[in-house]
Amino acid sequence: MRATLAAVILLAVIVGLIVAAARIWRRRAQGGEVDGGVDIIPYLLLALAVGTAGFTLAALARSSLTGNQLAGRPTGEIAGALAGLVVSAPIAFLLWRRQAARRKIYPEAAGWPVYLTLIELAFLAAFFFSVWDLAGAIFGEGAGANWTDLLVYGGIVAFNWWSERREPARGDARDLPRLTGSGVALIALAIGLIGSLTWLLSLAYDGIWGLDNVPEPATPLTLLFVAGPIWAYRWLPPWEDEPGSLLNFYLGLTTTVTLTMVIGALLTVVVMVITFFFGERPAPASDHFSDLPVTLAVLLGAGPLWWHHVRRLARERTGARRGYEYAMAAVGLATLVGSSVALVEAAFTPTLAGTDNAATLLTLGCIVITAGWVWLYFWRRAQRASPRQQEVRALPRRFYLVGMAIVLGLTAAGSLIAVLVIVFRALLGEVDGMGGNLRLPVALTLVSGLATWHLVDQLRDDRAGTAATTVKPFSVTVICSHPGNLGAMFPREARVRVIYRDDNLAVIDEDMASAIVTAIDGRSSFVWVDQDGFRIAPARER
Amino acid sequence: MTGLEPATMSDMDEARRVPGWVFPAIGVATVVLLVVIGLNREPEQFDPDTAAGTVQSYIAALTAGDFDTAAAYWSDDGCIPESDQPTGGVPDISATLVRVDGNDDEATVVIGITDNKADPVDGIYQHDEWFSLVHQDDGWKIRQPAWPYYDQICEEVMT
């Protein structure tokens, strides 16, 4: 579980950092203020030094204050921790002072939010792991309760929040530390919530039908009560500015993951019921439905989390909304391809006498139908979106079409190679078992090939539609503090002129940019942006 | 002008600002305190009739170089090292109890071992060791002792 969690967190942060770096790069390329450079390397070194110092301090506290010492004095642990501290602490101190001085000159350097993010990620995750371990040790059978980890990691997280409050992150990556904290706390909250619900539902199930193993509630309940307030502190307070790309990315990711969990749980319940009634030789009902508490706990835990986050997505087709819907379409399509191939394989696999594969076929059939429905639902929503020109040019659509075409195209090519190897081997005289070997690669080639063909065809349509639609040249004059990526959202026929205001009250975010492009709809216009939003006045056509 | 200038926000910010030496001083004091506590720490005394206490006595015998006494804690059956002399000599370690699992008849004791002699550049010098114990007439006995006899061929004893 930890490896999966760590992989998900790492992936989310890497993507977030790439998005932040891309935005910074684009801003610099557009001739924005350099702000003393990105200043990223010293902050990465600072994060490394603080991280080393923090974890070695935790090791020192652990060996000095906790653990049941059986033999000898902990000189080895103390020596190791001291060595780490002697090297990392002075580096951290000097770099901290240097960067604090540089922040006064270049307050918008991107390194500061990146540093805050890395420390929040490492130590908040370590804090939740220590909560989990301590609860397990106190309420379970563990001998060593490492309460010092809780103090050290909690102290570092609190210091990090205090530093952020004292010197708030600015620039394009300003939301990254809070979003990272929200994400880590949300994962811990979800684990605690689902674990606690599993315990409650298992108790109920045990009371009615009997259950072999009712999970212990102490650890998930502890995690729930600790993670809940932290998540509320990091996520619920209002965001200072309008939603930026990072917040949109976060919302898109959380809504996609939580909805996938909800659909997966619902599907599992349906499969349980169908295989009970239509599978051959069903087990006793109490055994067959013994996974129901866990499944319902996932449904009841992930459902409200999805609802909470999806309500924060704008109803208009903003970047976040599109990201969520195309991500769901990608999940649906990928699952559809995988489950279809598995279904073909299961349907044509010769079974031994008496072997029951009805449950497998029913399960795979349900997955195919659900995945197909999810893909069609979100894909059709995207196809009906208007204005068409804007949808076709949207970045999430390009990512979806190009990314999925590459992945599925490579899958089809790889499986085709496997088919040809078997065919050539047969032609060269090795014919035994050719039919059985061919089933899986042929099915994979056909299904992923069909999906790739659909995606490439759609890409061609998008390109043809863009080329065929003739938009008259038009000009837009925007009066604002910062245009954001408004220029990139207009079609090529637009000539955009920006008049900058002297204040910082009229920054155009992604949602507003999308709304402006929709409202202008290819007509020459003046756009006035202030703290209340934007107003449009028609201009003479050029 | 009255000579009494009102304090500005930046003055108040400066006044609220924590002096730069405070956090490093707290950090150094914490580290010194932890080192002093750690170096003055003596092993806890576990009940020798328990599984954890048996492992503690066994490790104490090994670290004292009393290999005959250590071998007395081995179970009669199972896979027993061909010699009671560890190839690496007397182990110079500190050990902590990580976990004890089991029941009245069998137990697994997990120990965290830090090797004080190991060259830290060469590799891991902190590791966990699992001791499998069985309860016999005369108390808990260690079955198939591994550490610190890794490099010895064990001899299966059938009773």
Coordinates of all heavy atoms in Angstrom, one line a residue, chain A residues 4 12 31 39 41 78 115 149 190 211 227 261 307 324 334 338 341 346 395 416 440 473 480 514 525:
Chain A
T4 N 2.4 2.0 -3.4 CA 1.4 2.6 -4.3 C 1.1 4.0 -4.0 O 1.1 4.9 -4.9 CB 0.0 1.8 -4.2 OG1 0.3 0.4 -4.2 CG2 -0.9 2.1 -5.3
A12 N 2.0 12.6 -9.0 CA 1.3 13.8 -9.0 C 2.2 15.0 -8.8 O 2.0 16.1 -9.5 CB 0.3 13.8 -7.8
G31 N 8.7 36.9 -22.6 CA 9.3 38.2 -22.2 C 8.9 38.7 -20.9 O 9.1 39.9 -20.6
D39 N 16.0 30.3 -9.8 CA 16.7 30.1 -8.5 C 16.3 28.7 -7.9 O 16.1 28.6 -6.7 CB 16.2 31.2 -7.5 CG 17.3 31.5 -6.5 OD1 18.5 31.0 -6.8 OD2 17.1 32.2 -5.6
I41 N 18.0 25.6 -8.2 CA 19.0 24.7 -7.7 C 19.3 24.9 -6.2 O 19.4 23.9 -5.4 CB 20.3 24.8 -8.6 CG1 20.0 24.5 -10.0 CG2 21.4 23.9 -8.0 CD1 19.7 23.0 -10.3
I78 N 23.6 6.8 17.2 CA 23.9 8.2 17.5 C 25.0 8.7 16.6 O 25.0 9.8 16.1 CB 24.3 8.3 19.0 CG1 23.0 8.0 19.9 CG2 24.8 9.7 19.4 CD1 23.3 8.0 21.4
Y115 N 10.5 24.6 -2.9 CA 11.1 24.1 -1.6 C 10.0 23.8 -0.6 O 10.0 22.7 0.0 CB 12.1 25.2 -1.0 CG 12.4 25.0 0.4 CD1 13.3 24.0 0.9 CD2 11.6 25.7 1.4 CE1 13.5 23.8 2.2 CE2 11.8 25.4 2.8 CZ 12.8 24.5 3.2 OH 13.0 24.2 4.5
D149 N 9.0 10.2 16.4 CA 8.8 10.5 14.9 C 7.7 11.5 14.8 O 7.8 12.5 14.0 CB 8.5 9.3 14.2 CG 9.7 8.4 13.9 OD1 10.8 8.8 14.3 OD2 9.5 7.3 13.3
A190 N -8.7 9.7 3.1 CA -9.5 8.7 2.3 C -9.2 7.3 2.9 O -10.1 6.5 3.1 CB -9.1 8.7 0.9
L211 N -18.9 -13.0 9.9 CA -17.7 -12.7 9.1 C -16.5 -13.2 9.8 O -16.4 -13.1 11.0 CB -17.6 -11.1 8.9 CG -16.6 -10.6 7.9 CD1 -17.1 -11.0 6.5 CD2 -16.6 -9.1 8.0
A227 N -5.9 13.2 10.0 CA -5.8 13.7 8.7 C -7.0 14.7 8.3 O -6.8 15.6 7.6 CB -5.8 12.6 7.7
M261 N -12.9 5.3 -8.4 CA -13.1 4.5 -7.2 C -14.6 4.2 -7.1 O -14.9 3.0 -6.8 CB -12.5 5.2 -6.0 CG -11.0 5.2 -5.9 SD -10.4 6.3 -4.7 CE -10.7 5.3 -3.2
W307 N -17.9 14.1 -4.9 CA -18.9 15.2 -4.9 C -18.4 16.5 -4.5 O -18.6 17.6 -5.1 CB -20.1 14.8 -4.1 CG -21.2 15.7 -4.0 CD1 -21.7 16.5 -3.0 CD2 -22.1 16.1 -5.1 NE1 -22.7 17.3 -3.3 CE2 -23.0 17.1 -4.7 CE3 -22.1 15.7 -6.5 CZ2 -23.9 17.7 -5.5 CZ3 -23.1 16.3 -7.3 CH2 -24.0 17.3 -6.8
Y324 N -10.8 16.8 -16.5 CA -11.5 15.7 -15.8 C -12.2 14.8 -16.8 O -12.1 13.6 -16.7 CB -12.4 16.4 -14.8 CG -13.6 15.6 -14.4 CD1 -13.4 14.4 -13.7 CD2 -14.9 16.1 -14.6 CE1 -14.5 13.7 -13.2 CE2 -16.0 15.4 -14.1 CZ -15.8 14.2 -13.5 OH -16.9 13.5 -13.0
A334 N -9.1 2.9 -22.0 CA -8.0 1.9 -21.6 C -8.6 0.7 -21.0 O -8.2 -0.5 -21.3 CB -7.0 2.6 -20.7
G338 N -8.5 -3.3 -22.4 CA -7.9 -4.3 -21.6 C -9.0 -5.4 -21.3 O -8.7 -6.6 -21.4
V341 N -10.0 -7.6 -24.4 CA -9.1 -8.6 -24.7 C -9.1 -9.8 -23.7 O -9.1 -10.9 -24.1 CB -7.6 -8.0 -24.8 CG1 -6.6 -9.1 -24.9 CG2 -7.5 -7.0 -25.9
A346 N -10.8 -15.2 -22.3 CA -11.5 -16.1 -21.4 C -12.5 -16.9 -22.1 O -12.8 -18.1 -21.8 CB -12.1 -15.3 -20.2
L395 N -6.2 21.9 -25.0 CA -5.0 21.1 -24.7 C -5.4 19.7 -24.2 O -4.8 18.7 -24.6 CB -4.1 21.8 -23.7 CG -2.6 21.4 -23.7 CD1 -2.0 21.5 -25.0 CD2 -1.9 22.2 -22.6
L416 N 1.1 -7.0 -32.7 CA 1.2 -7.5 -34.1 C 2.6 -8.2 -34.3 O 2.6 -9.3 -35.0 CB 1.1 -6.3 -35.0 CG 1.2 -6.7 -36.5 CD1 0.0 -7.6 -36.9 CD2 1.1 -5.4 -37.4
L440 N -4.4 -14.4 -27.8 CA -4.2 -13.2 -27.0 C -3.6 -12.1 -27.9 O -4.2 -11.0 -28.0 CB -3.4 -13.4 -25.8 CG -3.2 -12.2 -24.9 CD1 -4.5 -11.8 -24.3 CD2 -2.2 -12.5 -23.8
P473 N -10.4 37.3 -40.2 CA -9.5 37.9 -39.2 C -10.2 39.0 -38.4 O -11.1 39.7 -38.8 CB -8.4 38.6 -40.1 CG -8.6 37.9 -41.5 CD -10.0 37.5 -41.6
C480 N -5.8 44.9 -19.2 CA -5.8 44.1 -18.0 C -4.5 44.2 -17.3 O -3.6 44.9 -17.8 CB -6.0 42.6 -18.4 SG -4.7 41.9 -19.5
S514 N -11.1 31.5 -21.0 CA -12.0 30.7 -21.8 C -13.3 31.4 -22.0 O -13.9 31.4 -23.1 CB -12.2 29.4 -21.0 OG -13.2 28.6 -21.6
S525 N -13.2 43.1 -30.9 CA -13.8 43.6 -29.7 C -12.7 44.3 -28.8 O -11.5 44.1 -29.0 CB -14.3 42.4 -28.8 OG -15.1 41.6 -29.6

